[in-house]
Amino acid sequence: MERYKKFPMRFERHEYGILEMIFDGPNLNAVDEKVHAELPKIWSVIENDPQTRVVLVRGEGRAFSAGGSFDLIDDQINDYGVRMRVYYETRDLVKNMIDFKKPVISAIHGPAVGAGLIVAMLSDISIAARSAKIVDGHTRLGVAAGDHASMVWPLLCGMAKAKYYLMTCKPMNGETAERIGLVSLCVDEEKLLETARETARDLANGAQEAITLTKYAMNSWYRQQMPLFDASLALEFLGFGGPEVVEGVNSHRQKRPPKFV
């Protein structure tokens, strides 16, 4: 973990076997270029850490993670090399989380968007505060809902709800996310960390091989959908070369509704 001491995330240990991975950066823990590059790699480091049995991912301050920076999106629009690098990083993040052997718990409060949302939704157990704001904003940005969403959301909450939220970019709170099956559990915000740590404690003290193999078996649902994931991710990044994403970014920066022609 030495290489991550200056990384814009924190890593803490409060109890035996539990590593807390904390988004802790500017702009509501937005995922900048550095974080995006390192997120796919951290899972192999943790997997080889004998002190860690369970990972608990959370955000510092008022958010879980408010998504990617617009500067990074600008670079993807204007530089094909950057676009392809981010494409491979996103692909590796999803695949590495699916193949990660140890259980992951996400404690979601405030906004959860973009690459942070990938981590939240691909966690094995997702616990959301009632006031959480979960939104997949791809089509509002002007690109297809790729990365994890087209593969994961229909399995979690069904095709009808997945299409509604992914095509409209409507935000949902923790109660709605639990009601439709997108997250495992919804609790009051003041109980979020306590509940997540209690769940992590149960897993850390459980039968490790049995838990690992159960996760591996369940994640076979995702492995079966890998051709769908690859196609949706390619369609998303195809959009970074088109005109709609330019208007999407401009409208976000100018805080106005987009005018897609």
Side-chain angles (χ1 to χ4, degrees):
M1 304 295 290
E2 184 72 23
R3 65 185 284 192
Y4 294 102
K5 282 188 174 179
K6 295 183 179 179
F7 187 49
M9 297 184 73
R10 298 203 324 275
F11 298 87
E12 298 179 355
R13 296 185 193 276
H14 299 280
E15 301 183 50
Y16 167 76
I18 302 170
L19 178 67
E20 295 193 11
M21 179 176 167
I22 306 161
F23 287 104
D24 185 13
N27 302 318
L28 298 178
N29 306 324
V31 174
D32 62 12
E33 183 176 9
K34 182 176 181 181
V35 177
H36 201 281
E38 292 296 324
L39 263 180
K41 303 173 187 176
I42 187 63
W43 304 102
S44 63
V45 177
I46 299 172
E47 190 162 289
N48 292 313
D49 175 18
Q51 297 183 59
T52 299
R53 290 185 164 196
V54 182
V55 179
L56 193 166
V57 187
R58 60 184 178 90
E60 187 59 69
R62 295 185 293 116
F64 184 81
S65 175
S69 71
F70 287 123
D71 289 342
L72 181 56
I73 295 171
D74 284 338
D75 290 342
Q76 292 177 74
I77 292 170
N78 298 316
D79 188 323
Y80 176 78
V82 173
R83 191 185 314 161
M84 292 307 298
R85 189 194 74 227
V86 175
Y87 164 82
Y88 284 116
E89 290 170 359
T90 306
R91 186 173 181 267
D92 289 344
L93 172 59
V94 171
K95 293 195 173 187
N96 291 349
M97 283 200 70
I98 289 171
D99 289 335
F100 183 65
K101 293 184 176 65
K102 300 174 182 181
V104 181
I105 299 167
S106 58
I108 309 163
H109 79 290
V113 188
L117 184 60
I118 296 176
V119 176
M121 293 297 100
L122 279 174
S123 295
D124 304 296
I125 297 173
S126 50
I127 305 172
R130 298 189 193 282
S131 57
K133 184 180 179 180
I134 297 170
V135 56
D136 187 291
H138 281 85
T139 63
R140 168 63 176 80
L141 183 64
V143 295
D147 56 53
H148 76 297
S150 293
M151 172 179 65
V152 173
W153 286 39
L155 285 173
L156 295 178
C157 63
M159 185 65 77
K161 294 296 187 185
K163 282 185 176 180
Y164 175 75
Y165 284 103
L166 295 178
M167 294 174 75
T168 66
C169 297
K170 297 286 187 183
M172 71 183 86
N173 60 23
E175 289 185 335
T176 299
E178 183 190 43
R179 177 176 58 80
I180 68 174
L182 192 67
V183 300
S184 308
L185 191 64
C186 174
V187 297
D188 294 332
E189 185 156 348
E190 59 268 24
K191 294 182 179 179
L192 177 64
L193 187 54
E194 172 192 345
T195 304
R197 284 176 172 168
E198 182 180 346
T199 306
R201 193 179 305 123
D202 289 343
L203 290 173
N205 292 322
Q208 295 303 292
E209 188 168 10
I211 292 170
T212 294
L213 293 177
T214 297
K215 171 174 177 170
Y216 181 85
M218 298 291 285
N219 277 5
S220 293
W221 285 97
Y222 292 143
R223 293 186 188 92
Q224 288 176 339
Q225 302 303 318
M226 277 301 168
L228 184 157
F229 164 67
D230 282 330
S232 70
L233 188 65
L235 291 171
E236 174 189 345
F237 278 80
L238 180 66
F240 283 105
E244 290 185 332
V245 71
V246 176
E247 169 59 14
V249 171
N250 287 340
S251 65
H252 270 293
R253 283 198 164 115
Q254 296 165 16
K255 298 182 178 180
R256 60 170 174 79
K259 297 178 181 179
F260 297 121
V261 178

